[in-house]
Amino acid sequence: MSEHERMAQSPTADAPWRQWGPYLAGRQWGTVREDYSANGDAWGYFPFEQARSRAYRWGEDGIAGICDRFGFLNLGLALWNGQDEILKERYFGLTNQEGNHGEDVKEYWWITDGTPTHSWMKSVYRYPQAAYPYERLRELARAAGRDGREPELADTGVLDGNRFFDVEVTYAKAAPDDMCVEITATNHGPDPAPLHLVPQVWFRNTWSWGRDARRPALIASTVDGWSRVVAEHSSLGRHTLHFDGDPQLLVTDNETDEALLFGRPANPSRYTKSGIGDHIVNGDPDSCQVVQAASQPGTKAAAWYRFDEVAPGESVIVRLRLIAGDGHGRAFGRNFQATIDERKAEADDFYDRIALGGTPEEKKVARRAYAGLLWTKQHYRFRVREWLEGDPAHPPAPDERKGPFARNRHWTQMDVADIVSMPDEWEYPWFAAWDLAFHMVAFAQVDPAFAKDQLILLCREWLMHPDGRLPAYEWEFGDVNPPVHAWATLQVYRAELRATGHGDRLFLARVFHKLLLNFSWWVNRKDPEGNNLFEGGFLGMDNIGPVNRSEQLPDGWRFEQSDATSWMATYALHLMQMALELARHDEAYEDVATKFVEHFLAIAQASTHFGSAGTPIWDEEDGFCYDLLSRGGESRPVRVRSMVGLIPLLASASLEPWVFTELPAFADRLNYVLHRQPEFGQFLTWREDDGKRSALLSLLDGSKLRRVLARMFDEGEFLSPHGIRSLSAAHRDGIEVDIAGYGHRVDYEPGESRTSMFGGNSNWRGPVWFPTNALLVEALTVLDEFHRGGITVELPTGSANRVTAGEAARDLSRRLSALFLPGADGHRPADGKRIEASDGPLWAEHITFSEYFDGDTGEGLGASHQTGWTALVAVLIAGWPNASPKGMESNY
């Protein structure tokens, strides 16, 4: 069976081939879900040091792990090198308070392959042979300070001389409920070294909270040389995990060690979560069950494989097999290796049918990007009402949880237990609304069914707020992300239409109806003056402004935001396009389409002409768009040139000839509006070909467009060798601005943030970010297709090298893709000065997908496994965007 056949058999998240996957998080400690503190200090309430001994409430974590789609039964890898002070069961990283640039993982691992149904998955973890330097990493971060480089594991010297094991974990499904697992560890160091491989299986603790007393059971046995653990669960039924060879089986309970952590006189269970590690590392004979024949029931079990000396260059292999039911004695027969070989060949065939680029390096980048994207699908469980109330078997929630400023207190309708695409399995093991939208553009190329499912999911009643808000992100669901959900929906719809010739109108309509509520929420809540100038808040671009735009300004001042207003103009155009598409088969949508075109025209008029107190967002003197600082009848621009002034470029959409021929009521209404309000005509450009009329709606007219593009493609401002910067490099020497009577300074910071705003772990004051760059690529493509190459720009500005907008889009796409491709020196720009840029082939073979990139050098920064929106590189390499709505007209 091919992967495409498996996808056809299992289109939905609850279908058989998708029941098991890489849904286990890379980190659960330090998340909002596990935070029951009075002050909202998630990092401090559940630190890394407690994770080995304390049961989680809402999820689990592990290394290279999998679980069922409900997150009940988990399988992950633990290791010990004979030196570490604890068993290595999860990735380590610094918290916001410890890291000099915010939280950051301090491990090396790479997702190397995968398929949409998770019939085939591969991951590599690089494990040091010396003791892991936990405290040394904290010391380095403290010493570096805000202006120093973020210390990494390689900076401690622990990996010098390749003194590490590469541990490759391979998963291959023989059937939907039959998983073959192979763990191969290779000593790359110059000396023999010991290694303990400890695959673990455990149940998420659902019984300790006073809400469900049912307790699952794991029973380990070694009979007739057949080592196994039988897992019994009231919902999952029975599963058997087989272990090849003759490992020592250990059993404990996934229970908190309350005596150790909280000074209680006794624990509720004899064995606790850390029992297996205590036995292996500390030699504690009573910390867990050491199985001789069969164990008593437990909820966490492991197979302990000991390799006292692995020679340099030698590999050791451990094999497991997880099978529904009782399993069988042929678990490691010829079928095991045959399954691995077949799934590998099918994965190769799957990607051979997908556009991955032309060169071997491009194909490698794209396939790695998709693999990481597929792996960061996670089980996300969170019932906010119970989280706010606390659990019956535990002390009541602090009073602060009930106060008016309690985190997420207005989101009690949220009751989530779904598989969700997340940005990063460690730093962001939770979803974010606008991140997810970008993920789906890449997902649409490999798994369109999942892409549609996710966009619908975020609009479902257990996630979407009753007032129409989409949940922003775990730390504050009520914050505001840019409204890109409609854009992503159109991208997914069009991708499937291009691929199959048929668009999923039901999907389009389901999302559209919910976004009507969301658009209304924006209009009612984020335009307080009713003048079509919007506020929004930080809008995902964390520290881009001189101050935190989500916080209230003093003395009645407020921001009218260039980006919020432009996002809303863009949102109106996307909803108009969705309504027009639906109106082709249901004329009721025609009226809704006219509503959104009129919304767009009103926003365009306000933003570029009269504005609040007579001040528009468009600044004629500078030829750029700025945020406005407004109060009463006063309004003045905040003259910081940043991405907020480029977002207006996104607000453009074409009306193809079929709109005027198939939807006469829409055409008549548009003509009526333009006749009654001729000033709106400046936002439309008309074209006629062979007697067929088409139009382009655009926030910026031709003159304004060219002035903004001249700044965007100026190497002294926004254009870098690696994409468009988020803040103009013209501010290298800093700029002082007055905000509500207080002076604030903004400096161009091409790399990591030197400010503490938003925790310092994200910087929009200079780096290149993939999501906004990808949107700019698409916007230039739309303009070029409509104008048939008639819009030209200097690239770079001042060079006299004129190119079409489409050629500029392709150049920008190449700059972004080149971040991951070897340059003239043989190194990838994204590797920067990190150890990945070393000449050693063991480092060079692996690609890191960072959250954002240095605006001058291209070095990858922020989260290091962000194959969420950074996976967009795969679609850019393939030539996205490669078809306009007009190009799809022939499919009808």
Side-chain angles (χ1 to χ4, degrees):
M1 178 186 296
S2 72
E3 179 64 10
H4 286 96
E5 290 174 317
R6 280 188 287 272
M7 292 169 66
Q9 283 188 5
S10 300
T12 60
D14 59 351
W17 281 102
R18 299 178 188 262
Q19 288 284 0
W20 291 88
Y23 311 140
L24 180 66
R27 176 177 63 84
Q28 183 71 11
W29 59 273
T31 59
V32 169
R33 282 160 287 162
E34 302 301 331
D35 174 22
Y36 284 79
S37 67
N39 59 356
D41 178 12
W43 292 110
Y45 181 77
F46 204 133
F48 173 82
E49 285 72 21
Q50 292 190 4
R52 63 186 295 270
S53 305
R54 184 171 165 186
Y56 297 127
R57 173 64 175 87
W58 295 99
E60 293 292 335
D61 58 22
I63 295 173
I66 64 169
C67 67
D68 64 274
R69 65 178 298 269
F70 301 105
F72 290 131
L73 185 60
N74 305 272
L75 176 63
L77 176 64
L79 312 98
W80 190 50
N81 54 21
Q83 304 291 325
D84 279 345
E85 60 191 50
I86 61 173
L87 186 67
K88 173 61 72 173
E89 298 176 275
R90 57 189 51 81
Y91 303 123
F92 171 73
L94 300 185
T95 70
N96 242 333
Q97 293 77 15
E98 296 170 330
N100 61 325
H101 290 284
E103 68 267 21
D104 185 33
V105 70
K106 303 301 179 187
E107 307 270 10
Y108 294 102
W109 79 95
W110 301 272
I111 308 304
T112 57
D113 209 1
T115 53
T117 65
H118 312 300
S119 62
W120 171 256
M121 298 177 284
K122 294 189 77 170
S123 174
V124 175
Y125 172 57
R126 187 151 286 174
Y127 184 46
Q129 293 174 1
Y132 191 93
Y134 294 104
E135 190 52 39
R136 179 60 177 156
L137 285 164
R138 293 188 176 101
E139 291 171 357
L140 289 173
R142 287 193 294 267
R146 176 65 65 186
D147 294 334
R149 285 180 62 86
E150 184 81 29
E152 303 295 349
L153 179 60
D155 299 327
T156 67
V158 73
L159 301 174
D160 290 356
N162 291 342
R163 288 177 168 82
F164 51 75
F165 288 96
D166 270 354
V167 185
E168 183 177 70
V169 182
T170 300
Y171 293 97
K173 292 180 183 177
D177 53 5
D178 184 351
M179 180 77 78
C180 300
V181 187
E182 186 172 81
I183 303 167
T184 303
T186 303
N187 179 2
H188 288 299
D191 305 308
L195 179 65
H196 302 245
L197 293 175
V198 191
Q200 299 189 114
V201 59
W202 69 99
F203 283 111
R204 178 169 55 85
N205 188 321
T206 57
W207 56 87
S208 294
W209 320 107
R211 296 184 182 275
D212 186 346
R214 292 176 298 174
R215 189 184 184 100
L218 297 173
I219 299 177
S221 63
T222 55
V223 179
D224 298 327
W226 187 10
S227 298
R228 64 179 181 175
V229 171
V230 176
E232 292 277 5
H233 189 276
S234 57
S235 297
L236 292 179
R238 173 177 292 187
H239 288 76
T240 301
L241 179 61
H242 298 270
F243 302 98
D244 195 15
D246 187 27
Q248 177 66 68
L249 300 187
L250 307 172
V251 178
T252 188
D253 280 310
N254 186 11
E255 296 271 15
T256 299
D257 190 338
E258 297 184 3
L260 173 69
L261 298 180
F262 308 120
R264 306 274 165 76
N267 287 316
S269 174
R270 176 182 176 185
Y271 302 117
T272 63
K273 183 177 178 180
S274 61
I276 291 170
D278 290 339
H279 179 79
I280 293 173
V281 176
N282 303 323
D284 186 341
D286 298 319
S287 63
C288 65
Q289 298 182 60
V290 180
V291 180
Q292 301 303 323
S295 73
Q296 294 298 310
T299 49
K300 181 179 179 180
W304 183 11
Y305 291 88
R306 285 171 277 193
F307 303 96
D308 296 331
E309 189 175 274
V310 182
E314 182 185 357
S315 297
V316 293
I317 299 175
V318 165
R319 300 192 301 173
L320 323 173
R321 192 159 184 174
L322 180 64
I323 307 174
D326 293 321
H328 53 74
R330 304 179 307 283
F332 303 106
R334 285 181 296 177
N335 171 261
F336 186 96
Q337 188 59 48
T339 296
I340 291 177
D341 295 341
E342 288 169 9
R343 297 299 170 264
K344 170 64 168 63
E346 290 162 357
D348 291 342
D349 176 69
F350 175 79
Y351 285 108
D352 283 344
R353 302 186 187 194
I354 294 172
L356 294 179
T359 70
E361 282 294 334
E362 287 177 333
K363 292 178 179 178
K364 178 180 178 179
V365 170
R367 187 159 172 174
R368 288 286 185 97
Y370 286 132
L373 186 72
L374 291 164
W375 195 283
T376 46
K377 291 161 63 173
Q378 306 280 283
H379 170 75
Y380 186 85
R381 183 178 293 267
F382 197 19
R383 184 170 291 173
V384 174
R385 185 183 300 277
E386 290 184 4
W387 177 76
L388 288 168
E389 294 172 351
D391 293 314
H394 289 257
D399 291 340
E400 288 82 352
R401 279 288 179 90
K402 304 175 180 66
F405 304 109
R407 175 181 282 161
N408 293 327
R409 67 180 295 267
H410 297 295
W411 288 81
T412 55
Q413 95 289 347
M414 285 196 70
D415 185 1
V416 193
D418 292 290
I419 303 301
V420 185
S421 175
M422 303 193 184
D424 177 303
E425 68 172 306
W426 192 91
E427 190 160 337
Y428 301 100
W430 31 266
F431 71 89
W434 84 309
D435 298 60
L436 183 141
F438 292 105
H439 305 178
M440 294 311 111
V441 177
F443 258 117
Q445 314 306 312
V446 291
D447 194 353
F450 181 77
K452 291 186 290 184
D453 178 74
Q454 291 289 281
L455 291 167
I456 292 171
L457 174 64
L458 213 61
C459 297
R460 293 304 303 266
E461 56 276 14
W462 57 87
L463 273 166
M464 190 178 198
H465 196 279
D467 65 12
R469 278 177 290 177
L470 295 178
Y473 51 92
E474 182 174 84
W475 289 86
E476 180 51 74
F477 290 129
D479 217 328
V480 183
N481 276 181
V484 292
H485 212 75
W487 169 81
T489 301
L490 281 167
Q491 294 297 325
V492 171
Y493 174 82
R494 291 168 177 171
E496 188 173 36
L497 183 56
R498 284 192 296 269
T500 66
H502 302 283
D504 188 342
R505 294 181 180 278
L506 177 60
F507 155 68
L508 197 66
R510 290 179 69 184
V511 178
F512 178 76
H513 291 160
K514 290 297 185 74
L515 292 186
L516 292 177
L517 302 175
N518 182 248
F519 187 87
S520 296
W521 178 85
W522 272 89
V523 170
N524 293 327
R525 296 295 184 91
K526 294 300 180 180
D527 178 18
E529 299 297 316
N531 58 9
N532 287 304
L533 295 177
F534 292 82
E535 297 182 3
F538 90 112
L539 283 175
M541 294 188 282
D542 301 349
N543 63 352
I544 200 166
V547 298
N548 184 344
R549 296 188 298 172
S550 289
E551 293 181 354
Q552 188 171 356
L553 296 175
D555 303 323
W557 289 97
R558 59 186 177 82
F559 280 120
E560 291 174 327
Q561 295 175 221
S562 170
D563 53 338
T565 302
S566 303
W567 284 122
M568 281 302 287
T570 307
Y571 194 7
L573 290 177
H574 291 148
L575 289 173
M576 176 201 72
Q577 290 175 307
M578 294 174 74
L580 290 172
E581 188 67 29
L582 292 166
R584 302 182 82 168
H585 289 261
D586 186 342
E587 63 184 18
Y589 288 98
E590 226 169 329
D591 294 341
V592 189
T594 63
K595 165 188 169 63
F596 287 114
V597 77
E598 293 186 40
H599 263 297
F600 165 77
L601 293 170
I603 295 170
Q605 180 74 357
S607 63
T608 59
H609 286 77
F610 57 83
S612 178
T615 305
I617 285 173
W618 170 258
D619 187 273
E620 184 62 30
E621 179 181 349
D622 285 1
F624 204 69
C625 293
Y626 295 116
D627 285 349
L628 298 176
L629 193 63
S630 301
R631 181 180 65 177
E634 300 179 71
S635 188
R636 59 175 181 266
V638 179
R639 295 181 185 276
V640 176
R641 287 199 293 280
S642 72
M643 185 62 71
V644 305
L646 300 181
I647 299 301
L649 292 169
L650 309 182
S652 60
S654 58
L655 299 175
E656 298 298 331
W658 64 262
V659 173
F660 300 100
T661 57
E662 295 184 30
L663 307 176
F666 174 83
D668 289 345
R669 178 63 187 176
L670 181 60
N671 290 334
Y672 174 82
V673 170
L674 295 175
H675 176 72
R676 296 295 297 268
Q677 296 178 271
E679 67 274 15
F680 285 162
Q682 63 199 297
F683 304 113
L684 281 91
T685 303
W686 295 93
R687 196 183 75 216
E688 188 165 321
D689 300 294
D690 301 325
K692 295 181 179 180
R693 187 171 59 149
S694 58
L696 180 76
L697 292 156
S698 182
L699 190 63
L700 301 176
D701 62 25
S703 173
K704 295 183 179 68
L705 173 66
R706 288 176 172 85
R707 295 183 71 184
V708 173
L709 289 177
R711 288 201 183 277
M712 187 172 91
F713 289 118
D714 187 337
E715 292 177 314
E717 292 221 32
F718 289 98
L719 182 64
S720 84
H722 313 289
I724 301 301
R725 301 175 172 110
S726 49
L727 185 75
S728 171
H731 298 318
R732 285 185 189 274
D733 295 329
I735 181 172
E736 296 283 347
V737 291
D738 179 277
I739 303 292
Y742 297 89
H744 294 271
R745 179 181 176 87
V746 179
D747 291 272
Y748 170 72
E749 302 173 22
E752 291 178 316
S753 175
R754 297 197 298 268
T755 71
S756 59
M757 193 185 299
F758 290 93
N761 63 311
S762 179
N763 185 27
W764 284 80
R765 296 186 176 185
V768 171
W769 287 77
F770 252 80
T772 46
N773 270 260
L775 288 169
L776 290 169
V777 168
E778 193 216 10
L780 290 167
T781 304
V782 169
L783 291 168
D784 184 68
E785 288 184 342
F786 178 81
H787 288 285
R788 305 275 180 90
I791 295 288
T792 63
V793 297
E794 282 187 309
L795 184 65
T797 299
S799 68
N801 176 44
R802 298 205 71 84
V803 301
T804 67
E807 290 169 333
R810 290 187 287 277
D811 179 85
L812 178 54
S813 182
R814 284 192 294 269
R815 290 173 189 246
L816 294 164
S817 301
L819 283 163
F820 302 93
L821 300 171
D825 61 356
H827 295 141
R828 294 179 287 261
D831 289 342
K833 297 179 181 179
R834 302 192 309 268
I835 192 172
E836 290 92 333
S838 67
D839 292 327
L842 292 175
W843 293 101
E845 70 173 300
H846 294 302
I847 303 167
T848 299
F849 295 90
S850 297
E851 184 179 6
Y852 53 97
F853 303 85
D854 189 290
D856 291 340
T857 69
E859 180 175 3
L861 302 167
S864 55
H865 292 80
Q866 186 94 351
T867 39
W869 58 29
T870 305
L872 284 166
V873 67
V875 295
L876 292 176
I877 286 174
W880 175 92
N882 53 11
S884 68
K886 179 185 177 183
M888 295 184 292
E889 189 176 358
S890 62
N891 289 294
Y892 290 90

